[in-house]
Amino acid sequence: TINIQIKVIMNNNLYKEQLINQAFNFHSQGNIQEAIKHYQSFINNGFKDYKVFSNYGAILYGLGKFKEAKNCFLEAISLNPDFGDAHSNLGTLLRDLGDLKGAEISYRKAISLNPDFADIHSNLGTLLRDLGDLKGAEVSYRKAIALNPNFVHSYYNLGTILRDLGNLKEAELFTRKAIALNPDFAFAHCNLGNILHDLG
């Protein structure tokens, strides 16, 4: 009986590994429908893996299924509280749901776990701007640029924030940098025009 139980456990673990590997492969290849099938099968079999819940949550978020996505992110965090991606994804979801303070908590938690991830600093910057904390947003965008010197949108957003703060010369500098990195960035050209108008 013991041998039979061991075989069942081994087969179960093998099936679990096959499911998770296939799900990740389909997801990375952009085959979302197959990825969904495998993630759902994994979860329906009672298996637990924080990356599966986080990835599946990201797909559900992309499909506009916010409630299910939120549950997946929370499950991922409960399985591994130190998984920064799940906190970051939850922050973006909460922001879209209008829970800006909850989003800020999630982003700050993600940053504490992944301090070198430029995207999260940029996302926090946008959130702080929406909350009216322009100085805080400025700090976040500067951090994002320090971590990724080619982060076009952070240059643009920082230029916008600096214009709002009345720091026009520096606003011009960062907006021109965004345009240098992406000459077809229409919003940056528009913002530059506004800054130059303000400068007289």
Side-chain angles (χ1 to χ4, degrees):
T1 316
I2 293 172
N3 284 342
I4 292 170
Q5 287 176 336
I6 290 169
K7 273 188 179 176
V8 168
I9 291 167
M10 285 174 66
N11 287 337
N12 213 23
N13 285 338
L14 184 63
Y15 180 54
K16 178 182 176 182
E17 286 303 309
Q18 284 175 338
L19 268 180
I20 200 170
N21 288 334
Q22 287 171 334
F24 288 162
N25 283 336
F26 282 126
H27 198 167
S28 66
Q29 291 163 9
N31 190 341
I32 300 303
Q33 289 308 313
E34 282 300 316
I36 287 172
K37 271 193 233 172
H38 285 77
Y39 285 138
Q40 285 176 337
S41 184
F42 184 93
I43 293 165
N44 291 342
N45 273 280
F47 298 137
K48 301 277 188 182
D49 184 280
Y50 66 94
K51 286 185 178 176
V52 165
F53 280 101
S54 185
N55 286 0
Y56 186 41
I59 289 177
L60 291 169
Y61 167 75
L63 294 172
K65 298 181 177 180
F66 291 166
K67 186 179 178 184
E68 296 98 317
K70 183 179 178 181
N71 289 337
C72 281
F73 294 144
L74 290 172
E75 182 66 22
I77 290 166
S78 75
L79 291 168
N80 182 358
D82 295 331
F83 187 46
D85 285 3
H87 289 283
S88 177
N89 289 339
L90 179 60
T92 300
L93 176 61
L94 292 174
R95 184 192 69 199
D96 287 351
L97 290 173
D99 181 4
L100 300 188
K101 292 309 289 183
E104 182 183 355
I105 290 167
S106 291
Y107 280 147
R108 290 196 185 281
K109 179 63 177 177
I111 287 169
S112 74
L113 295 165
N114 290 340
D116 296 333
F117 194 21
D119 281 12
I120 309 176
H121 288 281
S122 181
N123 287 344
L124 178 61
T126 301
L127 182 74
L128 293 173
R129 183 192 65 199
D130 292 345
L131 285 166
D133 180 4
L134 298 187
K135 292 301 289 183
E138 179 190 350
V139 170
S140 290
Y141 287 133
R142 286 186 188 276
K143 184 65 177 175
I145 290 167
L147 290 167
N148 179 2
N150 295 314
F151 203 154
V152 177
H153 281 86
S154 284
Y155 284 106
Y156 165 73
N157 286 329
L158 181 55
T160 304
I161 291 290
L162 290 168
R163 180 187 175 218
D164 290 343
L165 289 169
N167 190 346
L168 296 178
K169 289 307 291 181
E170 212 177 4
E172 179 189 353
L173 181 74
F174 282 105
T175 305
R176 286 192 186 279
K177 181 65 177 175
I179 292 168
L181 288 167
N182 181 4
D184 298 325
F185 194 177
F187 286 112
H189 285 283
C190 182
N191 198 40
L192 179 60
N194 291 330
I195 292 165
L196 294 174
H197 177 267
D198 291 348
L199 281 166

